[in-house]
Amino acid sequence: MSHPNPVSPVDLHMHSLASDGTMTPSDLVQRVHAAGVRVMALTDHDNTAGLAEASVQAAALDIQLIPGVEVSSEWSTQGIHVVGLFIDPANGILQEGLSRIMAFRDWRALEIGRLLDGAGIPDAEAGARAMAGGRMVGRSHFARWLVREGYCADANEAFGKYLGRGCKAYVPSDWIPMPEAVGWINAAGGSAVLAHPGRYKLSGTRLRALLTEFRDAGGIGLEVCSGSQAAGDREHLGRLARQLGMAGSVGSDFHGPDVGHAAIGHLLTLPDGVEPVWDRAGIHIH
Ligand code: AMP
Ligand code: MN
Ligand code: MN
Ligand code: MN
């Protein structure tokens, strides 16, 4: 039986073990290939350490790998993720910026551990760091450790009870301002795209304000199709992109076969009249 959802040959948002994905970059590229996707971007949170390994496997399987990153930033006290596509990962301005975020993540892990300890859950920081294997440490690693140790039934409960905004072990995020993230991406020759616009739960007016500031900062597009969005978001976001003269991107936000619901490539077709971000960037995709 064929799958009811068409597979897109392009998927420009996914994670590997270099951040909070569960697959090695190499295994991820193999899965992308098996899913029938031909053009992929690896967009790990706040670092580009997985790109070298991914590019070796991509070359072997004739997958077009677009170098990417998903930068954690802030706009008006709201955490905002900015996807950088077609970046030069060797760029010094980008890497210097990312290293600042990674340092904040290290400090935050210590704080989350301290707060969990205060809530009667000892050793979480060491546990999360072990789950991260010395790579980027994030709340997903704490969530997986809380589940493995039996404190929570699943990751969703871990975020709902401890790690989410306003919860017991929530550390107010101190990410860099959104325009700085856009600036680093542009400095690295990349295209900045607003990640999963539906996830921020903003009103229409606020989303429009965010997108206008994002565009003024040098951002060129938004994810019109995202793995986790609600029905109707695609049309709504496509309309916004057209009205604001912004390009559209497509990305599943895949983290691994057992993480969330986003499958590689599914439901990622841009609505008519939305200019694809790769055309706007002048990148030929095959
Ligand atoms: P961080 O960047 O370390 O603050 O963690 C954010 C990441 O946590 C996101 O990129 C998701 O991968 C994951 N995440 C956020 N909310 C949830 C949730 N409710 N359940 C599972 N994972 C989540
Ligand atoms: Mn993540
Ligand atoms: Mn994100
Ligand atoms: Mn992501």
Side-chain angles (χ1 to χ4, degrees), residues 6 52 57 80 84 93 115 127 156 177 209 236 258 275:
Q57 189 61 257
I80 295 290
I93 292 172
L115 291 169
N156 213 32
H236 167 64
D258 306 314
E275 184 185 12

Side-chain angles (χ1 to χ4, degrees), residues 67 85-92 94-95 185 187-190:
L85 300 171
F86 323 113
I87 54 162
D88 171 12
N91 180 269
L94 175 65
Q95 290 299 340
I185 290 162

Side-chain angles (χ1 to χ4, degrees), residues 104-126 128-129 137-143 145-146 158-159 162-164 167-173 175:
F104 169 70
R105 283 185 170 281
D106 270 335
W107 174 84
R108 186 184 64 157
L110 204 73
E111 286 296 296
I112 294 174
R114 206 175 50 75
L115 291 169
L116 283 171
D117 195 63
I121 300 177
D123 306 323
E125 190 215 344
R129 280 193 197 280
V137 62
R139 286 183 293 165
S140 299
H141 302 107
F142 280 92
W145 181 84
L146 286 165
F159 275 88
Y162 298 107
L163 304 167
C167 298
K168 282 188 194 120
Y170 181 72
V171 177
S173 57
W175 306 115

Side-chain angles (χ1 to χ4, degrees), residues 50-272:
L51 290 175
E53 182 188 316
S55 71
V56 173
Q57 189 61 257
L61 295 173
D62 198 25
I63 296 285
Q64 185 174 358
L65 175 73
I66 288 160
V69 66
E70 181 176 18
V71 183
S72 307
S73 79
E74 204 168 287
W75 175 76
S76 174
T77 76
Q78 166 89 43
I80 295 290
H81 287 177
V82 182
V83 162
L85 300 171
F86 323 113
I87 54 162
D88 171 12
N91 180 269
I93 292 172
L94 175 65
Q95 290 299 340
E96 199 275 323
L98 295 180
S99 69
R100 273 166 49 199
I101 303 186
M102 294 291 274
F104 169 70
R105 283 185 170 281
D106 270 335
W107 174 84
R108 186 184 64 157
L110 204 73
E111 286 296 296
I112 294 174
R114 206 175 50 75
L115 291 169
L116 283 171
D117 195 63
I121 300 177
D123 306 323
E125 190 215 344
R129 280 193 197 280
M131 303 229 71
R135 297 171 291 260
M136 186 217 84
V137 62
R139 286 183 293 165
S140 299
H141 302 107
F142 280 92
R144 286 172 202 152
W145 181 84
L146 286 165
V147 172
R148 199 194 67 189
E149 297 300 308
Y151 291 108
C152 299
D154 54 28
N156 213 32
E157 187 187 322
F159 275 88
K161 242 176 152 163
Y162 298 107
L163 304 167
R165 196 183 174 117
C167 298
K168 282 188 194 120
Y170 181 72
V171 177
S173 57
D174 187 20
W175 306 115
I176 48 117
M178 175 273 284
E180 269 193 67
V182 174
W184 301 344
I185 290 162
N186 285 337
S191 298
V193 166
L194 183 73
H196 42 66
R199 193 102 56 88
Y200 310 120
K201 308 265 182 281
L202 300 171
S203 68
T205 312
R206 294 270 294 158
L207 179 57
R208 198 176 272 272
L210 166 60
L211 281 167
T212 304
E213 279 188 45
F214 185 74
R215 193 187 53 185
D216 290 348
I220 71 158
L222 60 143
E223 286 182 347
V224 169
C225 305
S226 171
S228 59
Q229 72 198 10
D233 278 5
R234 177 179 166 277
E235 284 63 36
H236 167 64
L237 294 170
R239 218 162 26 242
L240 264 176
R242 286 194 302 266
Q243 285 169 3
L244 295 170
M246 297 178 80
S249 190
V250 295
S252 61
D253 206 0
F254 181 74
H255 279 69
D258 306 314
V259 188
H261 303 290
I264 291 166
H266 286 161
L267 292 172
L268 300 178
T269 310
L270 286 172
D272 285 343

